[in-house]
Amino acid sequence: MNKQPNRSIPIHSNKPFVTREDIRAYFHETADLYEALFEVLNSDQAYYIKPNPLRHPLIFYFGHTNTFLINKLILAGLISQRVNPQFESMFAVGVDEMGWDDVNEMNYTWPTPAEVKAYRANVRLVVDELISTLPFNLPIAWDSPWWPILMGIEHERIHLETSSVLIRQQSLQYVQQHPDWVPCQTQDTPAPRNSLVDIPAREIQLTKSTDHYGWDNEYGQFKTHSPAFQAAKYLASNAEFLSFVEAGGYQKDEYWLEEGLAWRRYAQAEHPTFWVKHADGWKLRLMTSEVNMPWSWPVEVNYHEAKAYCHWLSAQLGKSVRMPNEHEWYSLYEHAGLSDEKVAGSMNANLFLDHFASSCPVNQFAHGELFDVVGNVWQWTETPIFPFDGFQVHPLYDDFTTPTFDGRHNLIKGGSWISTGNEALKSARYAFRRHFFQHAGFRYIVTDTPIEENASHYESDKLLSEYAEFHYGDSYFGVPNFPKTLSDIAIKCLQSRPARTALDLGCATGRATFELARHFDHVTGIDFSARFIGLALKLVQQGVLRYTMVTEGDLISYQERNLTALGLHQIVNKVAFWQGDACNLKPQFTGYDFILAANLIDRLYSPRQFLSAIHERLNIGGVLMITSPYTWLEEHTPREEWIGGYKKDGENVTTLDGLKAILDQQFSLIQPPVDIPFVIRETNHKFQHTLSEVTLWERIS
């Protein structure tokens, strides 16, 4: 096993074998490193002064990582006793800097640093004992009792890096230099002149290796073609970025996206946040000191600043300049001939804390034709994080990634000088809000290839999610999928009839539309709800549907359904979805061989109007399928419009009676009605179990 420090340890059964002692050493190495970071704070007061008004003070992060670990061990059932219940509540939830103007004003009575350090020592004893006694088996997979231990270790390594950024934002009066945290001393070399390297087209296929621990967003499958492009040989240096600053780039709105312009105005930014302007020139704020500006080091900026620079450079070069997207970064990685084994097995990158407690010149570490493909600073990409096909959340940490699937958190790649463990792996996928500051810079590329859009949103509207599950999700209590069952009944009935076109009225999220397209040449789905149609269109366009489901109270689970798994991916070109009113359809919706009106009539404002005119949309000999639980409610249908479910002249009038009375002139009932059950899940313990009466009518005139 690789004994170099701060490398992610192997967890598979293949050689080299990992032992419980390796995990123990990795745990203590991580804890030692984390505590050493906080030794750069020079007083207790430094722990309580917020470096960033949008984040907690540093005392929180000193205690948070061990609280996280204890809470996960309890959740996993590996321990039953808390170490400090008060701390494990106070330090449990951090502040995600979701908005640049979202200031957290909550007040806390924090413990002393000495009390937190004593707490950390007690947690070490608990975890060390668990490592000694827990049965040890390889490989270590998601369901292994060792997984939450590794989760806690890797979580602390994330906070090692984010806390170092907060310390860098802390006032210099609260920090001190430290022998374990010495920055690069090569600070006065001139920056190299950047140039472009040709990156050929290649196929990119991503799957997570089982050799190392991974976070949920790394798993699944992703495959795409990466066209050829040109990439900057070096990361953008401070010297390169100075040209943008001196050209008035921070004052010229045309270089800034709308979101970036709003941030720039709010922050009143005029230069990168870690640049400090003095009368005698520019300086750079490092973690524990200010130094004369090292122009050859990579500039550290947020996404908005990097994007504005690319727009400015595009104008200078007359070419399309931007940052790489995620798969283009992987193309750079492959072009450089890198692998996890090569990176971890050498010290040829400013990574793992192997060299410095800071960045270094952009021309110090070569990776093939390029420099700093990994290490030095993280590299912003154009890609908002999205789930790979087959993504699943881990039950012990269901909100690690899913809150970032909002189109507003962009991926950073490659790691920085302080990236260790999982962060330094090829598969790492960390994403931050675009205004966020990290030890992050960028590499620009020249390409005419547009930026791709990937599906990342999880539908959280309760009704939409319930119908997504109803149409595409699991079956409950042995009741088959309702839209598919209706489609199967219809197709069986229609075997000897024309199968050119079909209309699915009240299609909701569209499962029956897709299922009918197995038999018909083309199927149109129409629903009154634009939101339902939106989900159906998303399936057509992206082939995948993601949504949350309530388990109980505020607890939710995350679901992913795709057309390929349902065997429907090859028929998307046979369906179309429209928003429309079943009682007032547009003229083009006509000439159908089959019309399905599933659970529709008792939700219409005028079912009589609908039924009286539906024959006009159907070919002679065509079939109308009506299904309904006949749940007549005045909130949907005025009582005078009900076609059944009432008494007339003292006699019961059923909906079937009403259907026969209205349809009798143009239709003939093909077969006796049949009841078909369906189940709609609301929570883990609440379901709607309903019967829908199915009738099939042939148009005869």
Side-chain angles (χ1 to χ4, degrees):
M1 196 179 89
N2 191 344
K3 297 299 182 180
Q4 291 177 285
N6 297 320
R7 271 67 170 172
S8 175
I9 59 174
I11 58 173
H12 202 264
S13 55
N14 296 331
K15 293 183 178 181
F17 292 107
V18 66
T19 67
R20 73 172 70 238
E21 292 308 315
D22 293 324
I23 296 176
R24 190 195 314 275
Y26 192 49
F27 167 68
H28 286 296
E29 174 190 73
T30 304
D32 289 343
L33 187 60
Y34 195 67
E35 290 171 8
L37 175 69
F38 285 82
E39 291 175 8
V40 306
L41 301 177
N42 62 16
S43 65
D44 284 4
Q45 187 181 9
Y47 284 84
Y48 304 122
I49 303 298
K50 285 186 177 184
N52 183 324
L54 303 179
R55 309 296 297 277
H56 283 311
L58 286 158
I59 189 69
F60 171 87
Y61 300 99
F62 193 39
H64 169 67
T65 54
N66 275 197
T67 284
F68 174 92
L69 179 52
I70 291 298
N71 287 339
K72 295 309 177 189
L73 295 178
I74 288 176
L75 185 61
L78 297 176
I79 62 173
S80 57
Q81 298 295 317
R82 293 197 168 276
V83 177
N84 186 320
Q86 180 185 3
F87 284 12
E88 285 146 14
S89 174
M90 178 187 301
F91 292 133
V93 180
V95 177
D96 180 16
E97 189 180 339
M98 297 299 290
W100 40 258
D101 55 354
D102 180 22
V103 181
N104 186 300
E105 298 293 354
M106 294 183 68
N107 295 310
Y108 298 86
T109 302
W110 300 109
T112 66
E115 289 171 331
V116 177
K117 190 167 185 178
Y119 168 70
R120 290 181 57 85
N122 290 333
V123 170
R124 283 215 205 198
L125 294 175
V126 170
V127 177
D128 195 273
E129 175 67 17
L130 186 61
I131 291 173
S132 296
T133 58
L134 198 62
F136 187 78
N137 295 292
L138 292 176
I140 299 174
W142 268 31
D143 56 354
S144 166
W146 290 86
W147 197 264
I149 296 176
L150 294 174
M151 180 182 286
I153 294 171
E154 295 295 349
H155 173 260
E156 185 157 76
R157 288 184 176 271
I158 294 173
H159 279 280
L160 173 74
E161 180 146 1
T162 56
S163 295
S164 75
V165 177
L166 289 174
I167 291 172
R168 191 176 182 183
Q169 293 175 309
Q170 184 63 289
S171 172
L172 280 173
Q173 65 177 314
Y174 296 118
V175 298
Q176 61 191 354
Q177 297 188 39
H178 191 286
D180 291 343
W181 302 97
V182 178
C184 176
Q185 299 302 300
T186 307
Q187 298 174 5
D188 57 358
T189 57
R193 185 179 180 84
N194 221 333
S195 58
L196 295 173
V197 175
D198 290 331
I199 308 299
R202 55 172 45 87
E203 301 302 315
I204 301 295
Q205 184 170 347
L206 304 177
T207 54
K208 172 67 178 178
S209 167
T210 58
D211 291 344
H212 297 275
Y213 175 90
W215 297 104
D216 54 9
N217 60 48
E218 300 169 42
Y219 294 90
Q221 301 81 40
F222 179 77
K223 190 184 301 183
T224 193
H225 174 74
S226 179
F229 60 94
Q230 292 181 302
K233 184 174 185 177
Y234 308 108
L235 298 179
S237 67
N238 286 316
E240 281 188 278
F241 204 83
L242 177 65
S243 298
F244 170 69
V245 175
E246 292 182 336
Y250 278 82
Q251 289 73 44
K252 295 180 179 178
D253 294 357
E254 62 265 30
Y255 299 138
W256 297 78
L257 298 176
E258 181 179 359
E259 180 187 341
L261 184 59
W263 167 81
R264 192 201 77 196
R265 288 171 174 168
Y266 174 84
Q268 298 182 339
E270 297 180 350
H271 53 75
T273 192
F274 296 120
W275 287 22
V276 184
K277 195 168 189 177
H278 288 266
D280 59 346
W282 290 101
K283 294 184 182 296
L284 183 67
R285 170 62 195 268
L286 304 181
M287 195 166 69
T288 63
S289 63
E290 263 183 23
V291 300
N292 290 329
M293 181 62 70
W295 296 112
S296 63
W297 292 14
V299 68
E300 291 158 288
V301 290
N302 64 24
Y303 171 87
H304 299 312
E305 296 166 297
K307 189 66 175 175
Y309 176 89
C310 289
H311 286 159
W312 170 80
L313 188 59
S314 292
Q316 310 310 304
L317 300 180
K319 298 179 180 179
S320 177
V321 179
R322 60 171 172 81
M323 290 165 278
N325 57 33
E326 183 181 23
H327 66 255
E328 287 165 340
W329 181 85
Y330 279 111
S331 187
L332 295 172
Y333 190 96
E334 293 190 18
H335 186 75
L338 297 178
S339 66
D340 284 333
E341 293 73 23
K342 288 181 180 179
V343 172
S346 75
M347 298 176 67
N348 186 38
N350 191 10
L351 198 62
F352 304 115
L353 286 167
D354 279 349
H355 302 284
F356 319 110
S358 74
S359 307
C360 68
V362 296
N363 57 351
Q364 186 160 345
F365 293 103
H367 300 134
E369 296 181 89
L370 303 165
F371 285 73
D372 292 330
V373 173
V374 296
N376 217 357
V377 293
W378 288 94
Q379 299 164 50
W380 283 105
T381 74
E382 299 281 7
T383 304
I385 190 170
F386 65 98
F388 290 159
D389 290 343
F391 167 82
Q392 294 180 320
V393 298
H394 195 283
L396 294 180
Y397 199 178
D398 62 2
D399 58 353
F400 177 77
T401 304
T402 49
T404 67
F405 290 150
D406 58 3
R408 298 186 292 175
H409 289 71
N410 276 42
L411 285 159
I412 56 175
K413 305 295 288 186
S416 78
W417 53 270
I418 196 173
S419 297
T420 65
N422 170 268
E423 290 179 305
L425 294 176
K426 173 186 177 183
S427 59
R429 301 183 80 223
Y430 294 91
F432 292 95
R433 283 292 299 270
R434 291 184 277 267
H435 65 271
F436 195 90
F437 288 105
Q438 188 58 292
H439 303 301
F442 66 101
R443 183 191 310 274
Y444 56 83
I445 69 171
V446 175
T447 178
D448 292 323
T449 303
I451 300 169
E452 88 293 353
E453 293 186 11
N454 298 287
S456 64
H457 178 66
Y458 273 75
E459 180 57 60
S460 59
D461 180 277
K462 187 174 184 293
L463 180 63
L464 296 187
S465 296
E466 287 176 1
Y467 266 80
E469 178 69 7
F470 177 39
H471 277 211
Y472 301 100
D474 297 330
S475 296
Y476 299 96
F477 308 110
V479 177
N481 181 278
F482 182 68
K484 186 178 188 307
T485 298
L486 298 184
S487 176
D488 291 345
I489 292 172
I491 292 171
K492 183 177 180 181
C493 173
L494 299 167
Q495 284 300 323
S496 61
R497 298 172 184 266
R500 295 180 294 269
T501 59
L503 175 62
D504 181 7
L505 278 174
C507 66
T509 56
R511 176 65 182 272
T513 308
F514 286 109
E515 293 291 344
L516 289 168
R518 296 180 189 270
H519 180 73
F520 288 89
D521 295 336
H522 192 270
V523 183
T524 300
I526 296 178
D527 199 275
F528 190 77
S529 169
R531 295 187 301 161
F532 280 159
I533 291 299
L535 287 189
L537 287 172
K538 183 178 292 186
L539 268 174
V540 171
Q541 295 161 0
Q542 301 169 351
V544 64
L545 187 61
R546 298 183 176 95
Y547 55 94
T548 61
M549 293 197 310
V550 176
T551 54
E552 57 180 273
D554 292 332
L555 304 181
I556 57 175
S557 63
Y558 296 87
Q559 305 299 318
E560 175 183 294
R561 310 297 180 187
N562 65 77
L563 294 182
T564 300
L566 297 171
L568 298 169
H569 59 292
Q570 294 181 335
I571 57 175
V572 292
N573 61 329
K574 297 172 65 178
V575 301
F577 291 98
W578 298 84
Q579 190 272 335
D581 179 356
C583 297
N584 187 27
L585 289 174
K586 293 181 179 179
Q588 72 259 33
F589 299 120
T590 189
Y592 295 103
D593 297 315
F594 175 75
I595 296 177
L596 170 63
N599 293 358
L600 175 68
I601 58 171
D602 56 357
R603 290 297 182 267
L604 297 177
Y605 60 83
S606 182
R608 295 180 184 276
Q609 178 181 331
F610 165 73
L611 292 167
S612 297
I614 192 62
H615 67 280
E616 299 171 3
R617 312 287 176 169
L618 195 64
N619 295 330
I620 298 293
V623 173
L624 169 65
M625 184 181 201
I626 297 175
T627 82
S628 176
Y630 306 146
T631 311
W632 297 102
L633 297 170
E634 287 188 280
E635 65 186 84
H636 299 298
T637 311
R639 183 174 291 272
E640 61 270 17
E641 282 284 345
W642 292 8
I643 61 172
Y646 59 86
K647 285 182 177 291
K648 182 178 181 181
D649 300 329
E651 300 296 329
N652 293 339
V653 178
T654 68
T655 303
L656 183 59
D657 294 332
L659 288 173
K660 290 177 178 178
I662 297 172
L663 298 176
D664 186 60
Q665 295 298 313
Q666 285 84 28
F667 290 90
S668 172
L669 187 63
I670 297 176
Q671 60 188 41
V674 59
D675 287 337
I676 300 296
F678 65 88
V679 173
I680 296 178
R681 178 198 179 280
E682 293 188 31
T683 72
N684 270 0
H685 298 96
K686 184 181 180 183
F687 299 80
Q688 301 176 30
H689 191 174
T690 312
L691 295 178
S692 184
E693 186 171 88
V694 177
T695 54
L696 289 150
W697 309 79
E698 179 183 3
R699 183 184 174 190
I700 56 176
S701 67

